[in-house]
C-alpha cells in the first residue's frame, strides 16, 4: 500500500485529492495538511512513501519544505504539484532533487499513474512541462539581489532595506541596479515583475 501525505492549502482541492486517491486499492492517504510547517511536524513521516505538495503554501512553500525534508533525512519520495510552470520553479525543483513535478491541470488518471511511477523509483515531470526543460534559464540574480527584490515586493523603501540589512544606501542601490541590469529593465518594479514571472524569487 502506497502511503501518501498531501499538502495543499486549498481546502476543496485537498479534500478532492484525498477522496480520489483513497479510491485506489493500492493507495492510502495517511494525512492531508495545508502548510509546509504541518508537513514537517506530521507524526508519521517515517511511514510515508510519498509527499505530494503544492508549491505555493503558507508557512513553508513546497520548495522550502522539500529542501527541509531532504536535509533532515526524509527517505520517501517527494513530488510537487502546482498550477505554475515558471522556469525558476522547475530549476529549483530539479536542483533539490525532487522525484516529480506535476501540474494540477493534469487528468487525475495521469496523476495516479505518475504517483505509482515515482514510488517505483522513476523521476516524473508532467508532459506539458517537458519542452520547458530544454529552455530553462538559470537564475541570473545572486542571493543579495533576490533579497532586495523580495523587500521591494514587501513595499520597503531603499532606506528601510538599508537599515534592516545593515548596509549603506549606496550598496542597496547598487544591488538593485545590478538586478535591473541583469533583467534588462529600467526600474525596480519591472525587475520584480520579471523575477516573479520567472520564479526566480
Amino acid at each position: 500500500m502506497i502511503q501518501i501525505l498531501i499538502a495543499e492549502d486549498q481546502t476543496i482541492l485537498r479534500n478532492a485529492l484525498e477522496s480520489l486517491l483513497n479510491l485506489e486499492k493500492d493507495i492510502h492517504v495517511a494525512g492531508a495538511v495545508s502548510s509546509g510547517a504541518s508537513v514537517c511536524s506530521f507524526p508519521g513521516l517515517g511511514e510515508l512513501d510519498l509527499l505530494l505538495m503544492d508549491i505555493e503554501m503558507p508557512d513553508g512553500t513546497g520548495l522550502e519544505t522539500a529542501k527541509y525534508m531532504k536535509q533532515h533525512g526524509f527517505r520517501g519520495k517527494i513530488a510537487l504539484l502546482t498550477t505554475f510552470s515558471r522556469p525558476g520553479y522547475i530549476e529549483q525543483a530539479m536542483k533539490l532533487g525532487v522525484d516529480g513535478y506535476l501540474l494540477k491541470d493534469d487528468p487525475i488518471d495521469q496523476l495516479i499513474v505518475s504517483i505509482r511511477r515515482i514510488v517505483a523509483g522513476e523521476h516524473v515531470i508532467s508532459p506539458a512541462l517537458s519542452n520547458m526543460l530544454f529552455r530553462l534559464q538559470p537564475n541570473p540574480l545572486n542571493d543579495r539581489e533576490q533579497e532586495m527584490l523580495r523587500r521591494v515586493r514587501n513595499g520597503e523603501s531603499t532606506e528601510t532595506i538599508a537599515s534592516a540589512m545593515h548596509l549603506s544606501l549606496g550598496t542597496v542601490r547598487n544591488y538593485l541596479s545590478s538586478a535591473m541590469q541583469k533583467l534588462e529593465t529600467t526600474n525596480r518594479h519591472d525587475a520584480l515583475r520579471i523575477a516573479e514571472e520567472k520564479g526566480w524569487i
Side-chain angles (χ1 to χ4, degrees), residues 5 30-33 36-48 51 69 74:
L5 175 63
V33 298
S38 297
V39 171
C40 298
S41 62
F42 186 74
L45 287 175
E47 307 299 319
L48 296 177
L51 290 178
M69 298 303 291
F74 178 67

Side-chain angles (χ1 to χ4, degrees), residues 106-143:
D106 289 341
I108 186 64
D109 289 347
Q110 184 175 310
L111 173 64
I112 291 168
V113 169
S114 295
I115 286 172
R116 292 184 178 124
R117 288 175 60 197
I118 291 167
V119 172
E122 295 184 47
H123 286 83
V124 180
I125 185 166
S126 175
L129 298 174
S130 296
N131 288 337
M132 187 175 289
L133 280 176
F134 296 99
R135 304 194 306 271
L136 282 181
Q137 296 173 268
N139 189 344
L141 303 171
N142 63 36
D143 291 344

Side-chain angles (χ1 to χ4, degrees), residues 43-78:
L45 287 175
E47 307 299 319
L48 296 177
D49 298 298
L50 175 69
L51 290 178
L52 183 62
M53 299 190 292
D54 185 17
I55 279 189
E56 294 287 330
M57 294 188 295
D59 297 323
T61 67
L63 288 166
E64 292 167 345
T65 306
K67 182 177 181 178
Y68 177 90
M69 298 303 291
K70 291 274 187 182
Q71 291 174 340
H72 288 77
F74 178 67
R75 295 185 179 181
K77 307 295 185 181
I78 298 177

Side-chain angles (χ1 to χ4, degrees), residues 86-87 103 166:
R86 295 172 181 168
L103 288 177
H166 308 290

Side-chain angles (χ1 to χ4, degrees), residues 12 23 28 33 38-39 51 58 60 65 70 79 82 87 102 109 123 126 135 140 152 154 161 168 174 183 189 198 201:
I12 293 175
L23 291 175
H28 174 249
V33 298
S38 297
V39 171
L51 290 178
T65 306
K70 291 274 187 182
T82 181
L102 311 172
D109 289 347
H123 286 83
S126 175
R135 304 194 306 271
V152 169
N154 293 338
I161 295 172
S168 70
N174 285 340
L183 300 179
H189 298 292
K198 295 288 189 179
I201 61 169

